[in-house]
Amino acid sequence: MALEILTYGFMQRALISGIIIAVICSIIGLFLVLKRHSLFGDAMSHVAFGGIAIGLYANVYPIWTALIVSVLAGLGMTKLREVTKIPSDSAVAVLLSSGLAIGIVLISLSGGFNLDLFSFLFGSILLVNLQDLIMISIVSGLVLVTMSLIYKKLTYVTFDEEQAAVGGLSVRNINYLFIVVASVTVIASIRLVGVLLISSLIVLPNITALAMGKGFKKTALISCGISIGSVIIGIIISYFANIAPSGAVVLTETMIFLIALSGRFLINKNRQTKSKIESTMDLENGPRK
Amino acid sequence: MPNEIVSVENLSFGYGSSLSIENISFNVSEGDFLGIIGPNGAGKTTLFRCILGVLGNYAGSIRLFGQDIKSNKGLLKRVGYIPQKRTIEQEFPVTVQEAVSFGLIGLRNSSNTVLSAITDVGLDELKNKRIGDLSGGQLQRVLIAKALVSNPDLLILDEPTTAIDKESEKKFYSILRELNEDRKKTIILSSHDLDAIKKLSNKIACVNKRLFFHGNVHEFFDNEKLMMSAYLESSMQAHMHSHFDAENSSDNKADPNGA
């Protein structure tokens, strides 16, 4: 019965696009989380909402308008932070609210919310058509190629910007390129979880993977695995429970995160107890000869 | 005659309207170990950041390996740098091996080189440990390995022993001595530890916005008058007193009768 759902075309498209999005979101998300830009995804998706509204208003494929608006906003936010030195969270707040405001104004001008807009707000992975799948594949391909080219340098820049600059890396260009790639990723992911839940897709798998306490490559792989697993489980649950897939995916990620946290807590507690017992035994046995 | 590695001429730089360093000139030759001393806020880090090309809007000129740093940023690939403040996020998920390999980015990468740099600083058993699980001294050795992995001709260290324990500090200094004496690396070290500077360096520069002394380390420490005037001028009496106190107490320990 479970395998039967794989025979449906809409489910195949949903799973393929979901897995692709899961991979790029977890890779980009790891850098965003480590750069302490976790809310960047939220800001970009709210700006994208304005871009979607522009597309719907102008009768253009809304993802393209959202893409242009988000990339420009992402670069603008980075420049704003660079020039004015305002804190990262304040820049995000400015972008988030102004992007949403643009969207609301345009929507009210075009006569209010419609079904299309709701699907962008809450995600509609099961409604992904061939055009969407092609767009997601092309955009994700570009994201993966770019990331594979700058992966090592970006890791070093994220680790320590000043040392990376001393090492001869063009930190500014790498940061700008990353912002473009991150903006594109957010737009490509809107179909899966929608504007309102996008940051969870970026943040949750990565903070779960970081809690495992591994090195960089292993953390990235674990995050990818959690992300892909959550998308598959979430979509399948949503089909059988007849619930929204976006919510099911994010809740699956949240569950995995909570399980990982509890596991880490128990392991740490176990270690503490073990070392306590060992030190008590050492005291009882006296100094070793 | 040894090659010129660093040449700084009439260097001035300011953040905003006031100058952080003013009209500083000195040079470092191949194989030198230059110790830079000066109080907090004296401009030592600013001086390093200018030499390393992080700050570019300065007056004067800086030549690295005989070439102007502004015209050839590629020269920085020949420099290893250990910053003053560990800006490194301890929770950053990198292992010792991954952190050290950052030093090879943009260069020919080889895992053997990374492993031998880790061995050089005595951390081979910890190569797969996350840097967040290391002690301050071990982390400092990771930074040395990272700075050394590209086999740089010049090593710049900005107060590298801040916040590490005495035992780790001793190990750290012995690595620096070995690098300078046996492997002939040119080193610039800024520190408040005058005893270390005295033991390790062959040249010394006394900086407090301006350069108050630059020359032979023994000439500086052996000539109390010279040392005094440089220190007084550069408002470093506090450091001088603590140094003399330490010397007196060690003299007293060595010879309790004062003979």
Side-chain angles (χ1 to χ4, degrees):
Chain A
M1 190 178 162
L3 286 176
E4 187 192 304
I5 63 169
L6 297 176
T7 59
Y8 302 130
F10 74 92
M11 197 51 103
Q12 290 166 358
R13 287 193 296 277
L15 285 169
I16 294 169
S17 53
I19 289 169
I20 295 171
I21 290 166
V23 171
I24 57 169
C25 272
S26 67
I27 292 172
I28 297 295
L30 182 56
F31 290 99
L32 285 173
V33 168
L34 291 172
K35 279 173 171 281
R36 304 203 180 279
H37 292 170
S38 292
L39 284 177
F40 176 87
D42 241 356
M44 282 302 109
S45 61
H46 282 72
V47 169
F49 178 72
I52 287 165
I54 292 172
L56 292 174
Y57 186 70
N59 215 13
V60 181
Y61 184 54
I63 291 290
W64 295 128
T65 47
L67 188 67
I68 295 165
V69 170
S70 295
V71 169
L72 290 176
L75 292 174
M77 183 178 81
T78 311
K79 187 77 191 165
L80 183 76
R81 275 197 3 243
E82 225 175 72
V83 174
T84 62
K85 304 279 177 208
I86 63 170
S88 174
D89 55 345
S90 307
V92 164
V94 170
L95 206 63
L96 193 144
S97 45
S98 48
L100 197 60
I102 292 169
I104 291 168
V105 167
L106 285 172
I107 287 157
S108 62
L109 283 175
S110 59
F113 286 79
N114 57 32
L115 190 64
D116 256 4
L117 200 64
F118 269 105
S119 76
F120 285 113
L121 274 177
F122 300 107
S124 53
I125 194 82
L126 298 178
L127 299 179
V128 163
N129 57 33
L130 198 62
Q131 188 191 7
D132 292 328
L133 183 58
I134 292 169
M135 189 280 292
I136 289 169
S137 305
I138 293 172
V139 167
S140 303
L142 288 173
V143 167
L144 288 175
V145 168
T146 313
M147 285 304 288
S148 66
L149 292 175
I150 63 167
Y151 179 77
K152 275 190 176 172
K153 291 178 181 172
L154 183 62
T155 311
Y156 194 12
V157 168
T158 310
F159 181 64
D160 190 321
E161 285 201 357
E162 185 159 312
Q163 288 202 54
V166 171
L169 300 187
S170 176
V171 171
R172 200 163 167 262
N173 291 345
I174 291 168
N175 278 337
Y176 272 105
L177 184 57
F178 174 65
I179 289 299
V180 171
V181 174
S183 307
V184 169
T185 302
V186 168
I187 302 307
S189 317
I190 281 178
R191 267 302 190 198
L192 176 56
V193 287
V195 165
L196 297 177
L197 292 174
I198 208 114
S199 64
S200 55
L201 212 62
I202 284 170
V203 176
L204 278 169
N206 285 302
I207 53 168
T208 311
L210 285 168
M212 312 263 181
K214 304 288 179 191
F216 200 86
K217 278 181 192 160
K218 281 185 184 166
T219 304
L221 285 173
I222 293 169
S223 165
C224 261
I226 292 169
S227 200
I228 292 170
S230 306
V231 165
I232 295 171
I233 294 168
I235 289 175
I236 292 173
I237 288 176
S238 76
Y239 175 83
F240 288 109
N242 199 21
I243 53 173
S246 54
V249 168
V250 174
L251 284 176
T252 309
E253 285 182 339
T254 312
M255 283 304 293
I256 296 174
F257 171 63
L258 292 175
I259 291 167
L261 268 193
S262 316
R264 194 185 175 183
F265 174 76
L266 288 174
I267 289 168
N268 285 346
K269 209 174 169 190
N270 196 24
R271 269 190 202 146
Q272 279 171 4
T273 318
K274 224 175 173 181
S275 68
K276 235 181 191 175
I277 292 169
E278 276 171 8
S279 59
T280 318
M281 279 169 71
D282 280 350
L283 278 175
E284 282 172 0
N285 295 337
R288 283 179 192 153
K289 287 177 186 170
Chain B
M1 194 180 160
N3 292 328
E4 174 195 274
I5 301 292
V6 183
S7 172
V8 175
E9 277 173 39
N10 304 319
L11 180 71
S12 298
F13 180 87
Y15 298 97
S17 54
S18 65
L19 286 175
S20 299
I21 46 176
E22 199 179 337
N23 216 24
I24 288 182
S25 301
F26 67 88
N27 55 59
V28 182
S29 302
E30 193 172 4
D32 272 350
F33 194 129
L34 171 70
I36 297 186
I37 56 171
N40 288 330
K44 301 186 296 290
T45 302
T46 304
L47 174 64
F48 285 158
R49 296 181 88 204
C50 289
I51 294 173
L52 293 163
V54 178
L55 301 171
N57 196 19
Y58 53 77
S61 79
I62 299 170
R63 286 201 310 276
L64 274 183
F65 311 105
Q67 292 182 58
D68 192 320
I69 180 70
K70 279 184 180 168
S71 63
N72 188 358
K73 291 255 177 179
L75 296 168
L76 291 172
K77 292 196 169 127
R78 296 173 63 186
V79 182
Y81 170 56
I82 300 178
Q84 174 190 21
K85 203 173 134 197
R86 285 205 302 276
T87 45
I88 292 163
E89 180 69 57
Q90 292 260 336
E91 282 305 302
F92 199 92
V94 281
T95 60
V96 168
Q97 200 168 339
E98 285 171 330
V100 173
S101 70
F102 286 145
L104 281 177
I105 287 176
L107 303 165
R108 182 181 48 84
N109 207 334
S110 155
S111 58
N112 286 341
T113 322
V114 172
L115 291 178
S116 85
I118 293 172
T119 308
D120 283 349
V121 294
L123 289 176
D124 11 9
E125 282 178 15
L126 301 174
K127 67 180 182 213
N128 293 320
K129 272 231 167 203
R130 252 166 72 128
I131 56 161
D133 298 330
L134 304 180
S135 69
Q138 287 167 337
L139 183 59
Q140 202 59 278
R141 282 192 273 160
V142 172
L143 294 180
I144 298 187
K146 187 178 81 63
L148 287 176
V149 71
S150 58
N151 195 21
D153 298 308
L154 169 67
L155 202 56
I156 295 180
L157 307 102
D158 190 2
E159 291 181 23
T161 53
T162 315
I164 65 171
D165 59 82
K166 281 282 158 199
E167 193 52 41
S168 304
E169 191 179 274
K170 222 169 133 186
K171 247 181 220 164
F172 182 80
Y173 286 142
S174 79
I175 292 171
L176 289 190
R177 184 189 289 277
E178 191 261 336
L179 285 170
N180 181 247
E181 289 178 0
D182 302 345
R183 292 166 65 179
K184 308 294 172 208
K185 299 282 176 202
T186 307
I187 296 177
I188 304 178
L189 164 75
S190 86
S191 177
H192 290 299
D193 187 343
L194 297 182
D195 289 328
I197 296 273
K198 191 176 171 183
K199 283 172 191 159
L200 293 167
S201 317
N202 66 324
K203 280 186 179 175
I204 189 167
C206 183
V207 176
N208 189 7
K209 294 193 178 168
R210 288 182 291 127
L211 185 67
F212 288 87
F213 178 83
H214 174 233
N216 186 287
V217 74
H218 298 297
E219 189 190 334
F220 183 76
F221 282 105
D222 292 347
N223 189 335
E224 207 171 300
K225 230 178 186 178
L226 179 70
M227 192 175 163
M228 185 82 92
S229 73
Y231 265 58
L232 285 173
E233 276 189 85
S234 62
S235 321
M236 286 165 55
Q237 298 96 322
H239 289 293
M240 182 187 68
H241 287 312
S242 64
H243 174 66
F244 279 131
D245 289 348
E247 285 235 313
N248 288 339
S249 73
S250 66
D251 286 350
N252 291 341
K253 270 179 204 164
D255 185 359
N257 299 325

